[in-house]
Amino acid sequence: MSDVRPTIRLHGGVLLAAPGEAGTLDDAEVQVTGGEITYAGPADQAPDFTAEIDIPAAGKLIMPGLINGHSHLCMIFGRTLGAELTLLEWLDREMPLIRSFDSDTLYLAEMLGCIENIRNGNTTLVENIFAPHAGDWAPEDAAFRAMRDSGIRGIVARGFTGRNFAPDFIETGEEQIERIGSLAETWKGTEDGRLGLFISPLLPWSMTPEHFRQTRDLADAHGLMIHQHVAESPEFNTKIEQVFGRPVRNVELLHEMGCLGPDVQAVAVSDLNDREIELLAETDTRVIFDPQTRLFWGTGFPEIKKFLDAGLTCGLGSNGPAANCGQDLFESMKYACATAKTAANDPQALTRDRALRMATSEGASVLGLGDTVGRIAPGQRADIITIDLLQPHLMPTFDIEAALVYSARGADVRDSIIDGNLVMRDREILTVDEAALLQEVAVAAATVVARAGVDAPYAPRLAAE
Ligand SMILES: [Zn+2]
């Protein structure tokens, strides 16, 4: 990305500057200089401003980009494979694919996922990567390079497994210390703060108490947040009891291990009891819901209203593309509302304004980015999307927030500005040659699937060279 950000002016559209907090403003203008928002308000009161990039936005909504709090782009080549398995059976199916990457094919997989996120209006992405360190290359570097080159605001949540997992994925504590240190030094805060690093105990039964303690120490030493799957399905609690040899629930275990707190994200949270929700609230632990993935697995879903009533700060994630076939946060908002209402038998269990905050400002707070992105306001970094409102499925729109949560979809996003760079204009990706990328991805995916020995029911025809 360019070091010198262009000046950008959006004008003539409807501004939703703080979704779920404030109303809309017609005929608005937004001005961006040096990656920062300098003005957002009525066009007729805007300071004189001549911008290098001028985006007329009549008929469009201007809003903050969406925050995808949890994904696994390293599994994207498994999309459509293993669709009707249980969660842990499916994981076994996916592992050979992850094992079969080289540096180039993993970069292409990660880049595909970044572009898919940008196309859906996600300007911030957490990639929870896990992969064996088999050669002289680091898988996390491929993810960071793709984030850097695609232009997305990206955080790599580096998965760690210390036991009870595929042997070639398991690392020693010393290896984790060395690799986290190296990634923190090389990537954390680079691209003017657009790239970030989290530490991620991948599965609770893949950790020993010593690993948990080391994770907390490493997080504190490098200023990293801890990102972890928590009770994603009832199997999690069963396996924790078996492995730790006593009746302890997932959240109780993390509490004992010092791995709860405001710098911790608990992802999925499907099988929690009331005491566990209280513990999350008492420790101000952050929560990320991935409701469409929970329904996909058929293993239950969180009663979201209980988390909201407990006062928790919550965000949304798509989870990996191989687990639900999409990276669409509009879908996540709708499913979050639908599951919350179903669980509580209450149409107001999760309202559209709160769902929008989870996808923007509140989701940013969950990731420690609340002062940086999530609203269109002077002083915030410029992560902005536009949405085409003039479409059959969005008309008539008498309530913009209802339209966004219940009717809109990722494909309605037209433009995307991330950290002050225009990365998509009128649905054309500007940071990479997307057509060429998709050709390369098709070849790479076929290569990786063949190398992994995975039996695919359909072999796509590759375009001629
Ligand atoms: Zn996950």
Side-chain angles (χ1 to χ4, degrees):
M1 302 304 301
S2 159
D3 286 341
V4 182
R5 309 266 189 308
T7 48
I8 303 176
R9 175 171 171 257
L10 302 102
H11 56 95
V14 181
L15 176 65
L16 183 63
E21 293 175 58
T24 54
L25 178 70
D26 284 340
D27 196 16
E29 177 158 331
V30 177
Q31 300 177 354
V32 176
T33 299
E36 191 175 295
I37 295 163
T38 53
Y39 176 82
D44 59 7
Q45 294 172 29
D48 282 344
F49 188 66
T50 306
E52 290 156 286
I53 297 174
D54 185 84
I55 304 178
K60 293 179 184 170
L61 181 75
I62 305 168
M63 68 176 286
L66 306 181
I67 314 284
N68 186 357
H70 183 72
S71 190
H72 302 283
L73 302 184
C74 58
M75 305 177 87
I76 200 167
F77 284 0
R79 171 177 275 149
T80 72
L81 294 172
E84 281 134 16
L85 301 174
T86 70
L87 172 59
L88 295 185
E89 285 169 352
W90 165 85
L91 189 56
D92 284 343
R93 175 76 64 91
E94 298 292 318
M95 299 286 279
L97 294 174
I98 302 175
R99 193 175 276 131
S100 299
F101 280 121
D102 52 44
S103 175
D104 292 340
T105 48
L106 181 55
Y107 172 78
L108 289 169
E110 295 280 339
M111 183 62 103
L112 174 67
C114 288
I115 297 305
E116 183 183 355
N117 272 270
I118 291 169
R119 281 194 158 281
N120 279 294
N122 305 337
T123 50
T124 298
L125 163 74
V126 176
E127 158 62 341
N128 192 192
I129 193 171
F130 60 105
H133 280 243
D136 56 358
W137 59 283
E140 298 86 353
D141 285 341
F144 274 122
R145 285 194 291 123
M147 290 169 167
R148 179 193 64 197
D149 297 347
S150 67
I152 202 161
R153 186 177 301 283
I155 299 163
V156 169
R158 182 188 185 276
F160 171 81
T161 54
R163 62 169 172 168
N164 298 324
F165 205 68
D168 51 338
F169 284 65
I170 288 176
E171 301 173 287
T172 64
E174 289 67 35
E175 284 168 336
Q176 167 161 252
I177 291 171
E178 184 195 316
R179 289 166 185 167
I180 282 285
S182 166
L183 291 171
E185 190 175 321
T186 310
W187 291 106
K188 180 175 177 266
T190 57
E191 300 294 308
D192 289 335
R194 183 165 59 83
L195 303 183
L197 176 68
F198 291 166
I199 188 166
S200 174
L202 191 69
L203 297 165
W205 61 87
S206 72
M207 307 285 285
T208 63
E210 181 56 31
H211 291 142
F212 275 121
R213 277 189 285 276
Q214 183 195 63
T215 294
R216 167 47 77 193
D217 290 346
L218 268 177
D220 292 347
H222 293 287
L224 310 179
M225 298 182 93
I226 299 174
H227 180 91
Q228 53 195 339
H229 298 101
V230 175
E232 190 168 355
S233 68
E235 260 177 310
F236 271 54
N237 283 307
T238 311
K239 281 184 87 83
I240 287 168
E241 275 201 36
Q242 284 167 1
V243 167
F244 287 84
R246 58 196 168 94
V248 60
R249 303 274 303 176
N250 198 157
V251 172
E252 294 169 338
L253 178 73
L254 298 176
H255 193 230
E256 286 175 22
M257 300 295 157
C259 287
L260 296 181
D263 63 345
V264 175
Q265 297 125 23
V267 180
V269 292
S270 193
D271 181 36
L272 267 60
N273 63 32
D274 292 352
R275 174 62 193 142
E276 289 179 283
I277 294 173
E278 266 176 43
L279 265 179
L280 293 179
E282 283 167 18
T283 53
D284 197 16
T285 302
R286 308 303 155 100
V287 173
I288 294 171
F289 299 115
D290 59 340
Q292 70 272 49
T293 309
R294 304 277 58 83
L295 292 182
F296 180 84
W297 294 119
T299 52
F301 50 83
E303 295 178 62
I304 291 180
K305 185 172 191 304
K306 289 186 175 179
F307 294 77
L308 305 183
D309 290 345
L312 284 153
T313 305
C314 305
L316 294 172
S318 61
N319 214 326
N324 66 47
C325 304
Q327 298 290 288
D328 186 343
L329 261 278
F330 293 93
E331 191 177 75
S332 301
M333 287 193 279
K334 183 172 183 173
Y335 276 84
C337 291
T339 55
K341 292 175 189 200
T342 299
N345 192 24
D346 174 0
Q348 299 200 346
L350 171 58
T351 51
R352 59 201 185 287
D353 55 326
R354 184 69 188 269
L356 274 165
R357 291 204 297 277
M358 287 185 189
T360 55
S361 56
E362 190 175 348
S365 296
V366 166
L367 305 181
L369 295 172
D371 297 333
T372 311
V373 295
R375 294 184 182 87
I376 298 181
Q380 286 243 315
R381 299 302 290 173
D383 286 14
I384 300 168
I385 58 175
T386 70
I387 292 176
D388 181 3
L389 295 173
L390 301 177
Q391 302 185 75
H393 65 280
L394 295 178
M395 293 181 79
T397 293
F398 297 117
D399 181 326
I400 292 275
E401 296 192 339
L404 288 173
V405 174
Y406 299 123
S407 302
R409 48 187 86 127
D412 301 331
V413 175
R414 301 304 303 182
D415 308 291
S416 177
I417 296 163
I418 305 176
D419 207 39
N421 283 306
L422 184 62
V423 297
M424 181 169 76
R425 177 145 202 183
D426 216 14
R427 291 205 69 69
E428 183 193 351
I429 297 287
L430 302 178
T431 47
V432 292
D433 179 342
E434 189 180 6
L437 172 73
L438 296 183
Q439 292 286 342
E440 287 183 82
V441 161
V443 174
T447 304
V448 168
V449 166
R451 200 183 282 158
V454 170
D455 186 22
Y458 170 71
R461 287 172 60 184
L462 304 179
E465 288 289 298

